[in-house]
Amino acid sequence: MDMERPPLDPAAKSVERLCMIGLILAGWAFIIVLRLLNLQVFAHERYALRAESQQDKLVLVDAPRGTIQDRNGTYLAITSHGSLVAVNPAQIQNAEVGAGLLARLLDLDAAKLQAEIEAAARSKRHHGYLVVARQIPDDKARELAAMKLNWVIIGDDHLRSYPNHQLAAHVVGNVNAEGRGAAGIELKLDKELAGKPGLLRVKVDVKEHAYESEIEQAPVVGRNIGLTIDSDIQYIAEEVLKASVIQNHADHGSLVAMDPRTGEVLALANYPTYDLNERLKPSQQAHGREDLAVVAPYEPGSVFKVITVSAALETTNLKPDTIIPCAGGVLHIFGRTIHDAETHGDLSMADVLAKSSNVGAIHIGMEVGAKNMYEYVRKFGIGRRTGIDLPAESSGVLRPLRKWQATSLASIAFGHEVSVTSLQLAQMGSVIANGGFLIHPHVLAWRQAPGEKRETVKYPPPIEVLLPETVMTMRTLMHRVVMPGGTAHRLHVVGYSIAG
């Protein structure tokens, strides 16, 4: 006989349901508590570091560049306040439009900037912060800020400027849009001038907007640099060179003024030149920015006869009054015909130099011989870099003796088939001026780290390449070049002893 269970009381059913719901809620709460316990206790450090990596980023802070001064303390390059422009690539909806806008305002290459923005948007390395331009003048920064672009970040930076504009432009050089050395001393000593960058820790919100920052590591200011350049002499050299190039309808020119005893370059000028405060734009040609005196060799011509005559005085029996056959001013040699600029009879060796006879120089060179000529050309520093502290110096061209042809000795005797820079010619002339020593041309005088004393730069000692008696004779012969009857008689100045 089956017994039927009495129906549950409605109140009892409600209690049962509440218990089940309570158990579910309790289990859910227990799971949440365990999860929170794991997050807050066991995995706290790992998640804290992850959160910090998302909220914090380290940004390099460039140090102020050191100053560049001339020998008298005149500032040729200084650092003042400026601005930098950065963008958040993730917030730029159209990279082409954004890059074009910034490129027009900041004189940048739009295509290159667009590529950088697109690459940064795909990369995790930039963390929403890509520097697109540095050393921006304050007026440009204000103009950009007025546009209120939420993806543009304007920060503090250092502005490199040149108080004397084009003065000594090819020695000092300038910096590029990234604030790095682009030419001259700015490039050659970039690491020293730039100092050591610092680190700035920046906190950002979920939209990667910066809301807090602090210095993680302070930047170290770059070294100050002192040059041998004398600004007064440099200014005169540039003005005279400019006038000479224009007057002679030349394409360009260069000038080097050097202390022959020490090798200190007092002035180094090229024309055309440029204003150091004007950066090269993407489509602009680098006309006038080449340091021709250091990087551009050319055939020296008749000034090379100084080496030919010096070699003759030390390796042959020729004397200043020895008669050299120059009659007619024409010489046929190895199928070539060489002319003098002016027709004259036979000349003494002294007059070969004074009147710049090509034919006479060839006869003297033949007496010297190829081996001796090559040796003395090398003694005067031709065919190798002087070692000046400027970038991209050319060594010129002097072929090894084994590669000389039948006519090479004749050509080199009067300055052909060889190429030199203006700086090498200044070094060559210094040998006669200083008593027969090859010196080390240089423009760097001292360097100074922050808070330390100036450190004078030491250079290799001079090397004796000519005998004292040879030098005295050469000074007399070269003095005749600028006297009446010499090819450079216009340079004669009463009261001054000049050699040419």
Side-chain angles (χ1 to χ4, degrees), residues 138-154:
D138 289 339
D139 58 340
K140 289 271 189 181
R142 286 192 294 269
E143 183 179 351
L144 186 58
M147 296 181 181
K148 297 181 179 180
L149 303 170
N150 64 345
W151 45 271
V152 172
I153 305 162
I154 300 175

Side-chain angles (χ1 to χ4, degrees), residues 180-262:
R180 295 288 174 257
I185 286 292
E186 291 276 32
L187 173 60
K188 188 72 173 181
L189 303 181
D190 182 54
K191 289 185 178 180
E192 293 187 50
L193 286 162
K196 185 178 180 180
L199 291 174
L200 179 69
R201 184 177 294 277
V202 180
K203 293 185 180 295
V204 296
D205 59 19
V206 292
K207 294 184 177 180
E208 295 193 349
H209 290 153
Y211 64 86
E212 184 181 332
S213 64
E214 63 178 357
I215 294 292
E216 181 83 2
Q217 178 180 310
V220 178
V221 180
R223 288 185 174 187
N224 296 327
I225 298 298
L227 304 182
T228 61
I229 296 294
D230 185 308
S231 292
D232 292 334
I233 298 176
Q234 179 72 34
Y235 175 78
I236 295 171
E238 292 180 7
E239 290 298 304
V240 170
L241 178 62
K242 176 181 178 181
S244 182
V245 170
I246 293 174
Q247 180 181 348
N248 290 280
H249 307 288
D251 180 67
H252 56 263
S254 58
L255 185 156
V256 178
M258 183 192 304
D259 186 329
R261 300 162 300 175
T262 64

Side-chain angles (χ1 to χ4, degrees), residues 3 46 59 65 113-114 119-120 182 220 261 295 298 319 344:
M3 298 291 292
R46 177 161 58 93
V59 180
R65 287 179 77 85
L113 180 56
Q114 179 184 346
V220 178
R261 300 162 300 175
V295 307
Y298 54 91
K319 304 297 180 184
H344 38 61

Side-chain angles (χ1 to χ4, degrees), residues 290-301:
E290 305 89 350
D291 189 356
L292 301 175
V294 174
V295 307
Y298 54 91
E299 278 192 329

Side-chain angles (χ1 to χ4, degrees), residues 322-383:
T322 302
I323 300 301
I324 307 297
C326 306
V330 179
L331 178 65
H332 303 282
I333 181 171
F334 299 110
R336 292 176 58 192
T337 301
I338 298 171
H339 297 268
D340 279 341
E342 297 179 1
T343 302
H344 38 61
D346 293 341
L347 300 171
S348 67
M349 188 166 72
D351 281 335
V352 167
L353 187 64
K355 297 182 181 298
S356 193
S357 169
N358 296 334
V359 173
I362 292 173
H363 282 295
I364 295 171
M366 293 298 179
E367 290 289 328
V368 172
K371 186 174 182 299
N372 285 333
M373 179 64 76
Y374 179 80
E375 178 184 344
Y376 272 80
V377 171
R378 293 285 293 175
K379 276 187 174 184
F380 275 85
I382 308 302

Side-chain angles (χ1 to χ4, degrees), residues 333-486:
I333 181 171
F334 299 110
R336 292 176 58 192
T337 301
I338 298 171
H339 297 268
D340 279 341
E342 297 179 1
T343 302
H344 38 61
D346 293 341
L347 300 171
S348 67
M349 188 166 72
D351 281 335
V352 167
L353 187 64
K355 297 182 181 298
S356 193
S357 169
N358 296 334
V359 173
I362 292 173
H363 282 295
I364 295 171
M366 293 298 179
E367 290 289 328
V368 172
K371 186 174 182 299
N372 285 333
M373 179 64 76
Y374 179 80
E375 178 184 344
Y376 272 80
V377 171
R378 293 285 293 175
K379 276 187 174 184
F380 275 85
I382 308 302
R384 61 178 181 269
R385 297 182 180 90
T386 67
I388 194 169
D389 14 52
L390 289 171
E393 182 186 8
S394 171
S395 61
V397 177
L398 174 64
R399 292 184 300 163
L401 191 58
R402 67 179 182 278
K403 293 186 177 181
W404 283 24
Q405 300 174 351
T407 59
S408 293
L409 177 57
S411 296
I412 290 174
F414 67 104
H416 289 250
E417 209 173 298
V418 61
S419 66
V420 301
T421 63
S422 297
L423 181 64
Q424 287 175 323
L425 285 185
Q427 185 184 39
M428 180 194 80
S430 294
V431 173
I432 307 301
N434 66 25
F437 293 86
L438 188 70
I439 44 86
H440 185 102
H442 58 276
V443 295
L444 181 60
W446 54 263
R447 46 168 59 92
Q448 182 182 32
E452 298 182 10
K453 294 182 178 180
R454 289 182 179 180
E455 174 189 346
T456 302
V457 181
K458 299 186 182 301
Y459 293 95
I463 302 172
E464 187 172 17
V465 296
L466 290 181
L467 298 173
E469 52 268 32
T470 303
V471 173
M472 295 305 295
T473 302
M474 285 302 301
R475 287 178 179 175
T476 301
L477 297 183
M478 292 173 68
H479 181 58
R480 292 187 59 183
V481 175
V482 300
M483 296 298 288

